[in-house]
Amino acid sequence: MTYTGRGSGRLAARAVTVAFALALLFGANLPAEKIGPWDTDLLFQPPTVEWGEEKDGVRELFYQGEPFQGRPTRVYAVYAQPPGTGPFPAMVCVHGGGGTAFPEWVRLWAERGYAAISMDLAGCGPQRQRLPDGGPDQSDDSKFRSFDENSVTEMWTYHAVAAVIRAHSLLRSLPQIDADRIGVTGISWGGYLTCIVAGVDSRFRLAIPVYGCGFLHENSVWLPRFEKMSPEQRERWVRFFDPSQYLGRVRCPIFFLNGTNDFAYPLDSYRKSYDLVPGEKYIRIEVRMKHSHPDGWAPREIGLFADALLKGGQPLPRLSSLHREDRTVWAEVTSVVPVKQAHLNYTVDGGRWQDRQWTSIPARLEQNRVVAELPSEQLSAYYLDVVDERGAMISTPPEIVR
């Protein structure tokens, strides 16, 4: 594997000069502004970076983080790229709770033909050891602790979003990376962060949040945390750190993936988050999709979506929103690759989304439509999906009755 312009030796230092000419050269000359608590004028500049040695096709690095408790910080990350000199498309990979900088994740993207970076967002370094100059940890106590307007930059979400954006800025500064072909994907809390980042960093070409979404204060596994907050604390947390405040700013194509029974991010909050995006968007809802890092980076649709936008590949199928007349429901289908299957997925249960039972039955493919008959008037939620000849599945947004 060739790394252009990097020093040798363990954690050899390579300072990246931050200059206006460099920003122009690598496409970072977008209008900068302060969005929420994040100053994009600073975050869009390449951070200083120290490169380590390569092992099994993956290279360690540390890059500049945000000040924390009055001291500078570093972010630990891993990087991989395909053979050759590029220019490569690239992905920024954002882990979830209990995660770290995953070598296997960036290796997976390198095998797909992408450069990729995955950073630790818990203030840890190699082997998940706490860094003396790391940022905040990723415990729920850190995420939901009390703060005021003066301490917003001490919060975990502030640091995590900044670390993701700085990783993007770093990739854009590398000569082997095509700065116009970079996407971001995240799993669970990383999906939550991806929803925010996609609204703050307008340079991304695509975004793929898995599981994570907004409206955590309305319905999520963290409702007990919000119930313990004062009304002022709750309003402040939502205003600064809930993705619902940023999804309306997303301008790149975005692909939401989740399961019907996700333990953390329920389907009603997921649908509301999807609805906020004004532009091109896709959704994939899998009945009882498992929740884990490997299950979150495994769906083939993720790579196909990235390939279509960053490598000129064949796009995923497109489904319109649901239409209904009496008990007949349908959606328009657009697909370059022939569609081979279609399904109606529904539940009649109420109560917690995590506990509802779902049923899938075949739907009909009629020219450019997928059509199904609702089996009951008592459905509480339903949606259609189609599967093309590659095995790629796309859904309609779920219709939520109760």
Side-chain angles (χ1 to χ4, degrees):
M1 185 182 296
T2 301
Y3 296 86
T4 306
R6 299 178 187 165
S8 61
R10 191 173 185 273
L11 296 182
R14 175 180 180 258
V16 180
T17 302
V18 178
F20 180 69
L22 185 63
L24 289 177
L25 179 62
F26 294 111
N29 57 326
L30 294 172
E33 58 183 317
K34 189 165 186 179
I35 303 171
W38 295 282
D39 186 347
T40 61
D41 191 32
L42 296 175
L43 297 176
F44 284 6
Q45 299 172 2
T48 56
V49 58
E50 304 167 54
W51 291 98
E53 297 296 336
E54 178 189 334
K55 181 179 180 182
D56 298 327
V58 176
R59 196 165 188 182
E60 294 183 336
L61 62 140
F62 291 92
Y63 64 88
Q64 171 189 354
E66 301 308 293
F68 179 57
Q69 296 179 343
R71 56 174 173 76
T73 66
R74 293 184 303 161
V75 178
Y76 170 70
V78 292
Y79 171 90
Q81 68 181 43
T85 58
F88 305 113
M91 292 295 297
V92 177
C93 303
V94 190
H95 71 75
T100 186
F102 286 112
E104 57 267 46
W105 201 0
V106 295
R107 203 177 285 123
L108 171 67
W109 279 103
E111 291 170 357
R112 289 173 173 164
Y114 295 78
I117 189 170
S118 171
M119 75 297 299
D120 181 276
L121 300 173
C124 293
Q127 288 77 54
R128 305 193 187 204
Q129 296 298 307
R130 181 73 189 171
L131 292 174
D133 54 356
D137 66 56
Q138 61 172 332
S139 67
D140 281 0
D141 286 343
S142 290
K143 295 184 178 86
F144 295 105
R145 69 177 181 82
S146 178
F147 70 99
D148 58 26
E149 304 279 344
N150 296 320
S151 60
V152 64
T153 58
E154 297 290 296
M155 296 293 288
W156 176 83
T157 300
Y158 172 81
H159 281 261
V161 168
V164 175
I165 295 173
R166 284 197 184 275
H168 184 199
S169 298
L170 171 59
L171 287 181
R172 296 174 71 89
S173 74
L174 301 178
Q176 68 267 33
I177 303 299
D178 184 341
D180 293 327
R181 294 190 293 153
I182 302 177
V184 59
T185 184
I187 293 171
S188 194
W189 274 108
Y192 153 92
L193 293 171
T194 298
C195 289
I196 297 175
V197 166
V200 175
D201 190 342
S202 56
R203 303 169 300 170
F204 277 112
R205 182 68 181 84
L206 63 86
I208 310 172
V210 184
Y211 311 122
C213 66
F215 297 97
L216 303 193
H217 56 296
E218 293 190 8
N219 195 14
S220 71
V221 73
W222 298 281
L223 286 182
R225 292 278 178 175
F226 289 103
E227 291 168 358
K228 293 178 180 178
M229 296 179 184
S230 70
E232 294 78 15
Q233 289 173 335
R234 176 187 170 111
E235 182 278 332
R236 187 179 301 118
W237 194 97
V238 171
R239 174 161 49 92
F240 281 111
F241 297 135
D242 191 80
S244 60
Q245 307 300 300
Y246 303 97
L247 282 164
R249 296 179 53 90
V250 174
R251 295 299 180 265
C252 66
I254 186 168
F255 183 20
F256 294 87
L257 296 90
N258 200 5
T260 54
N261 298 76
D262 194 74
F263 85 96
Y265 303 95
L267 211 55
D268 55 350
S269 292
Y270 213 70
R271 172 63 197 260
K272 290 178 182 178
S273 298
Y274 171 90
D275 285 342
L276 286 177
V277 177
E280 184 178 350
K281 52 190 174 183
Y282 298 73
I283 192 167
R284 177 191 185 274
I285 303 297
E286 179 181 334
V287 174
R288 290 179 289 276
M289 180 182 181
K290 295 180 180 178
H291 188 117
S292 73
H293 282 100
D295 289 300
W297 65 54
R300 71 186 67 193
E301 295 87 352
I302 292 175
L304 293 173
F305 180 71
D307 287 349
L309 290 166
L310 303 182
K311 296 174 68 177
Q314 294 180 314
L316 294 174
R318 295 294 305 268
L319 283 176
S320 70
S321 297
L322 279 169
H323 303 274
R324 178 176 177 177
E325 184 174 337
D326 296 326
R327 286 170 61 175
T328 300
V329 294
W330 72 91
E332 284 81 23
V333 184
T334 304
S335 186
V336 174
V337 178
V339 172
K340 66 176 184 178
Q341 295 178 20
H343 308 91
L344 170 69
N345 309 280
Y346 67 89
T347 180
V348 298
D349 294 343
R352 297 176 71 248
W353 288 99
Q354 295 89 334
D355 302 329
R356 299 190 188 193
Q357 296 298 312
W358 286 79
T359 301
S360 297
I361 60 175
R364 306 188 302 276
L365 292 168
E366 298 179 354
Q367 295 182 341
N368 64 337
R369 286 185 174 185
V370 52
V371 184
E373 307 300 323
L374 299 180
S376 167
E377 292 285 358
Q378 306 304 313
L379 302 189
S380 57
Y382 57 91
Y383 65 94
L384 295 166
D385 70 49
V386 295
V387 182
D388 71 18
E389 289 185 345
R390 299 169 295 182
M393 182 180 75
I394 287 293
S395 312
T396 64
E399 186 68 24
I400 296 174
V401 181
R402 56 183 167 86

